[in-house]
Amino acid sequence: MRELLSPAASTSNSTTQRPGSSATTSQHSEDSSLLKNVDCGTLEQSYDSTLEREFEVHDIGNLVEVGDLEPAFSFRKLLRFAGPGFAMSIAYLDPGNICSDLHCGAVAGYKLIWLLFLTHALGLYVQTLSARIGIVTGQNLAQQCHQQYRRSVRIPLWLICELAIIGSDIQESIGTAIALYLLFGVQIWAGILVAALLSYVILGIQRFGARKVEALFIAMIAIMCACFGVEVFMSSPDVREITKGLFIPRIPASATVQAVGIVGAVIMPHNLFLHSALVGTRRIKRAAHVRQASIREANFYTTLESAVALLFSFAINATIMIVFADIYSRGKAAKSVQLAEQHLPGLVEAAELLRGAFGGIGPLLWAIGLLSSGQSSTATGTMAGQYLMEGMMRLRVSPWLRLFISRSTSLVPTMLVGVLFTAHLDQFDEWLNVLQSLALPFALIPTLKLAQSSHVMSEFAVGSRWRAFGWLAAAVIIALNVYLLLPLIVDLASYGMVAACAAFVSLGMYLLFVYILIASKVE
């Protein structure tokens, strides 16, 4: 720890001076006399103000002071850094994830719990990388992408990530609307409008400080823990089967789409942009004599907080999967919503399943937990859209106008789905999870490229082992996407030569753009 807190500048100075050189000695004496007259606090304040201009998207008046460096672990310091990780973990608990957990439990029982844990572990890795980009560079991922990629690459990248956010927002808003329908009988289209209005209210709390909105997100996670936790205790699941599902990797042949959907539902592209921006709400010391130690400390506490937040996220997702695995394995499902070959229970039908298993308390707890999930994830998704739009495209507009633009971009297609495809919401939800998986490489690859670059991250660049792990994970995700797309391409080919050509050209363009992102140099 002593080496961690040692001044970084003194080492570099001592290695560049040439003893015996009078010019060097004279210059050193002159620099020393100048430094005596410079207030280090003034230097730090000037440097911080420069970074605040980079992080202006955060409403800088809401920056959280984390205090001076601590020589040892401090729980109080951890609490000061706590907040961005829990806000990030909201995306791991959105209605898309809940629906994915429901389907996995219904189709595969307890057999995919290990995959759920693995995706959360992978999520911790990539979220840590994105957070470190924000901490080390003082810029979020979207701002870095704007600097690193030429316009012909940056615009398609922005459009793909924006499409992923719209897809996620459809899931989240409809999840909120379904919760309102279950609780109060509100129509789906009206529930979508209420969800949009509530997201404005939640994001408006940012004006009163970042800690306020972070506390609200943590409260919503606590509500989900309570609601879904009570249900898992009511179900009395098979602990032995849960243990086997956690430690023995298995993917049933009938659950391939659900297994790929877990990856898309859990690790969401927009969340990488969000986390790299949220860490900018913590003001860390960046003066030369403490910069390295301060960044190391911020990286440590941010990683620890993210791990704790994602552990809660995994526990909540696992409880949902376990509850519905138990319902189907024990034959508690109501006859009207029994699992059929071509039908999976949706969020509304899930409430009926819970009513049949636990009585009236089941759907009530389900609806309250779903409302907390949908509304909190709608707010964080809108925040991610704001950061992506301003950082990637450098749009200079007022915060409220930026909020209105990003929210309206998602609201229109959400309303269309809610009005025109109400009877097919469950099918939409499953394929929207697949959309997240398809879009994930376009956020993951820039994150890996930036995190491993010594030009961007200096001494905080990712080491060779973790770099290899990251690229292996990216290769697996891309391979899964191709595996998922091939049956669809074969089906399209049956409609004629034009459809087949369009399908193969689309796959080729997808892989070509992935290659362009990988081959692009980071400076």
Side-chain angles (χ1 to χ4, degrees):
M1 196 66 182
R2 182 177 301 173
E3 293 181 0
L4 186 66
L5 298 177
S6 62
S10 60
T11 304
S12 59
N13 288 341
S14 62
T15 57
T16 55
Q17 294 170 2
R18 282 187 277 172
S21 171
S22 59
T24 302
T25 304
S26 174
Q27 182 65 38
H28 177 71
S29 301
E30 182 179 349
D31 290 345
S32 299
S33 63
L34 287 172
L35 285 172
K36 290 179 181 178
N37 298 322
V38 176
D39 181 6
C40 290
T42 304
L43 285 174
E44 183 176 341
Q45 184 178 4
S46 175
Y47 191 79
D48 283 347
S49 64
T50 302
L51 289 175
E52 287 175 4
R53 286 195 295 272
E54 295 292 343
F55 268 122
E56 61 185 347
V57 73
H58 292 297
D59 296 329
I60 294 304
N62 298 331
L63 285 180
V64 177
E65 298 289 347
V66 297
D68 297 327
L69 289 170
E70 299 281 354
F73 175 78
S74 169
F75 186 72
R76 181 177 60 182
K77 177 62 73 71
L78 176 61
L79 290 179
R80 290 173 180 169
F81 278 97
F86 281 94
M88 168 272 297
S89 71
I90 290 291
Y92 291 71
L93 297 167
D94 73 341
N97 278 286
I98 291 177
C99 194
S100 174
D101 299 333
L102 162 63
H103 291 170
C104 289
V107 174
Y110 306 102
K111 295 177 183 177
L112 294 180
I113 297 178
W114 68 273
L115 184 59
L116 182 67
F117 178 80
L118 193 63
T119 51
H120 276 79
L122 178 59
L124 175 61
Y125 170 72
V126 296
Q127 295 296 162
T128 298
L129 294 185
S130 69
R132 291 191 175 196
I133 291 171
I135 292 171
V136 174
T137 67
Q139 291 183 315
N140 61 50
L141 179 59
Q143 291 169 330
Q144 280 289 327
C145 287
H146 181 273
Q147 291 185 357
Q148 298 294 338
Y149 295 110
R150 61 185 184 272
R151 184 180 179 87
S152 59
V153 176
R154 187 172 67 246
I155 292 179
L157 181 61
W158 170 65
L159 290 174
I160 291 172
C161 294
E162 195 69 51
L163 180 64
I165 290 179
I166 292 173
S168 174
D169 194 74
I170 291 174
Q171 293 176 304
E172 294 154 359
S173 298
I174 289 178
T176 302
I178 289 175
L180 293 172
Y181 168 77
L182 293 174
L183 288 170
F184 309 110
V186 177
Q187 294 296 316
I188 296 297
W189 66 267
I192 292 173
L193 293 178
V194 172
L197 178 61
L198 289 176
S199 67
Y200 282 112
V201 174
I202 292 175
L203 294 175
I205 298 175
Q206 285 182 297
R207 300 184 60 185
F208 301 100
R211 301 291 275 177
K212 303 295 190 301
V213 71
E214 289 168 359
L216 181 60
F217 289 145
I218 292 174
M220 290 184 173
I221 293 175
I223 292 173
M224 284 184 268
C225 282
C227 292
F228 300 133
V230 168
E231 289 180 341
V232 79
F233 281 110
M234 293 172 63
S235 65
S236 301
D238 189 333
V239 177
R240 182 180 178 182
E241 288 298 318
I242 293 174
T243 304
K244 288 172 62 178
L246 180 60
F247 293 104
I248 301 177
R250 294 169 293 174
I251 299 180
S254 59
T256 304
V257 173
Q258 284 74 32
V260 177
I262 286 180
V263 180
V266 173
I267 308 174
M268 307 186 76
H270 72 265
N271 220 27
L272 301 180
F273 294 96
L274 176 67
H275 200 195
S276 67
L278 291 178
V279 294
T281 58
R282 268 51 183 177
R283 189 196 298 273
I284 64 176
K285 306 293 183 182
R286 294 186 182 269
H289 64 292
V290 294
R291 176 182 178 274
Q292 187 180 36
S294 294
I295 290 177
R296 288 189 186 279
E297 182 184 66
N299 285 339
F300 170 75
Y301 284 109
T302 298
T303 302
L304 182 57
E305 187 237 353
S306 298
V308 173
L310 289 181
L311 185 61
F312 276 98
S313 170
F314 166 73
I316 294 172
N317 282 296
T319 58
I320 298 170
M321 189 181 296
I322 289 168
V323 166
F324 287 97
D326 177 71
I327 288 176
Y328 278 100
S329 66
R330 295 174 183 264
K332 296 178 183 177
K335 292 182 179 180
S336 60
V337 287
Q338 282 287 349
L339 183 63
E341 291 184 1
Q342 301 298 326
H343 179 72
L344 289 172
L347 296 174
V348 176
E349 292 172 323
E352 294 304 315
L353 284 169
L354 294 169
R355 185 186 303 278
F358 310 127
I361 189 64
L364 177 62
L365 292 173
W366 174 257
I368 295 173
L370 183 61
L371 180 61
S372 297
S373 165
Q375 199 51 64
S376 58
S377 57
T378 300
T380 55
T382 304
M383 291 168 64
Q386 292 179 263
Y387 298 138
L388 179 67
M389 182 180 296
E390 181 169 284
M392 194 86 78
M393 305 307 294
R394 294 296 194 191
L395 296 180
R396 304 296 182 183
V397 295
S398 66
W400 279 105
L401 180 57
R402 186 173 63 243
L403 172 61
F404 176 77
I405 293 174
S406 59
R407 195 71 196 87
S408 300
T409 302
S410 299
L411 180 61
V412 174
T414 303
M415 283 295 297
L416 290 176
V417 171
V419 172
L420 300 178
F421 302 100
T422 305
H424 304 283
L425 293 180
D426 298 329
Q427 290 85 345
F428 262 94
D429 191 80
E430 187 170 333
W431 284 105
L432 286 173
N433 284 339
V434 175
L435 171 64
Q436 300 300 319
S437 183
L438 291 173
L440 181 57
F442 303 110
L444 180 58
I445 291 172
T447 301
L448 293 173
K449 296 278 289 183
L450 290 166
Q452 73 181 27
S453 171
S454 58
H455 297 291
V456 176
M457 301 292 285
S458 61
E459 67 269 29
F460 298 99
V462 177
S464 57
R465 291 182 180 179
W466 286 111
R467 185 184 310 175
F469 173 77
W471 285 111
L472 177 62
V476 170
I477 291 171
I478 294 170
L480 284 175
N481 289 339
V482 173
Y483 172 77
L484 191 67
L485 285 175
L486 283 178
L488 180 62
I489 291 174
V490 172
D491 290 340
L492 289 174
S494 63
Y495 288 96
M497 183 63 67
V498 175
C501 290
F504 280 105
V505 168
S506 299
L507 177 61
M509 292 179 64
Y510 178 85
L511 296 176
L512 176 63
F513 195 56
V514 168
Y515 171 77
I516 290 173
L517 289 178
I518 295 174
S520 298
K521 293 183 179 181
V522 172
E523 299 178 354

